[in-house]
Amino acid sequence: KATKELEKVRIPTFLEKSESAGNCVVTYDERAFPHDVDWKDAWRTFRQIAVDQLGGEKDRLRLSTHATGTLSVLGMRAILDRWAETGWTPDLVVIDYADILAPPPGRLDSKEAIDANWAALRAYSIEAHNLVLTATQANAAAYSMETMTKGNFSGSKGKNAFATAIIAINQTPMEKDQGVWRLTLPVGRESPLNDQTCV
């Protein structure tokens, strides 16, 4: 009877900058897991942490799922307003991802719809005094760049105008082999950092 090989994961424990070896040398701790974790186990563990370690509230997280392109910003606000009526308001709203939200009424052009949705999310964030976090894709030129800039937007440049901050995830092929990502801030209101400052 064949036995399944253990799933091995490399966890970075130390990073040392080295110009001769590329960007950095990474020291790892390797761990092996005897079996996969299914989503039910992961959810059960999350709920246990949310209740036992985050203040004992039953509703630290709410999830609303929708097919691609079926939820608009107005629809999202209606859901959040319903939740607020029950006494539950979020500090953080995560959207996966804003570019595929349904367009506002009358917006047929995709760039115009993306601009309108990002503007509406910014307005919601200001009015509700909370953080709206989402993801977007870079343009094709980003594939050949070592570090992305604010010019690497996809769809509409309006995203740069409406976002308070945009964090870019950068990785060269060598960094990919090492399991390292560099974060930069191509857009940051009142930030002293530039788009070439990496973490």
Side-chain angles (χ1 to χ4, degrees), residues 10-50:
R10 293 190 308 168
I11 300 170
T13 56
F14 186 75
L15 294 145
E16 182 180 358
K17 191 169 176 73
S18 170
E19 296 300 330
S20 61
N23 289 323
C24 59
V25 176
V26 185
T27 304
Y28 297 97
D29 180 16
E30 194 170 84
R31 297 187 190 168
F33 296 89
H35 55 80
D36 294 334
V37 177
D38 71 16
W39 72 269
K40 291 178 186 175
D41 290 335
W43 182 252
R44 192 177 305 110
T45 301
F46 169 78
R47 296 300 296 170
Q48 182 179 2
I49 292 169

Side-chain angles (χ1 to χ4, degrees), residues 155-170:
S156 170
K157 67 179 180 178
K159 289 183 268 191
N160 288 346
F162 298 120
T164 301
I166 294 177
I167 298 171
I169 303 172
N170 305 278

Side-chain angles (χ1 to χ4, degrees), residues 130-147:
N130 68 14
L131 173 64
V132 175
L133 180 67
T134 189
T136 187
Q137 292 182 343
N139 62 3
Y143 290 115
S144 60
M145 296 189 70
E146 185 172 317
T147 304

Side-chain angles (χ1 to χ4, degrees), residues 2-8 30 32-36:
T3 57
K4 183 181 174 187
E5 186 176 332
L6 295 180
E7 181 72 24
K8 293 181 180 177
E30 194 170 84
F33 296 89
H35 55 80
D36 294 334

Side-chain angles (χ1 to χ4, degrees), residues 3 9-11 21 27 32 38 42-43 49 53 58 60 63 87 94 114 149-150 164 179 181-182 184-185:
T3 57
V9 178
R10 293 190 308 168
I11 300 170
T27 304
D38 71 16
W43 182 252
I49 292 169
Q53 297 178 20
K58 292 181 180 177
R60 299 294 289 202
L63 178 67
V94 180
I114 289 171
T149 69
K150 64 183 175 183
T164 301
W181 292 265
R182 284 175 296 107
T184 54
L185 197 67

Side-chain angles (χ1 to χ4, degrees), residues 43 45-64 80 83 86-94:
W43 182 252
T45 301
F46 169 78
R47 296 300 296 170
Q48 182 179 2
I49 292 169
V51 172
D52 295 344
Q53 297 178 20
L54 297 179
E57 295 183 25
K58 292 181 180 177
D59 251 357
R60 299 294 289 202
L61 170 75
R62 289 197 180 182
L63 178 67
S64 182
L80 293 167
W83 288 347
T86 68
W88 191 90
T89 55
D91 295 317
L92 166 68
V93 174
V94 180

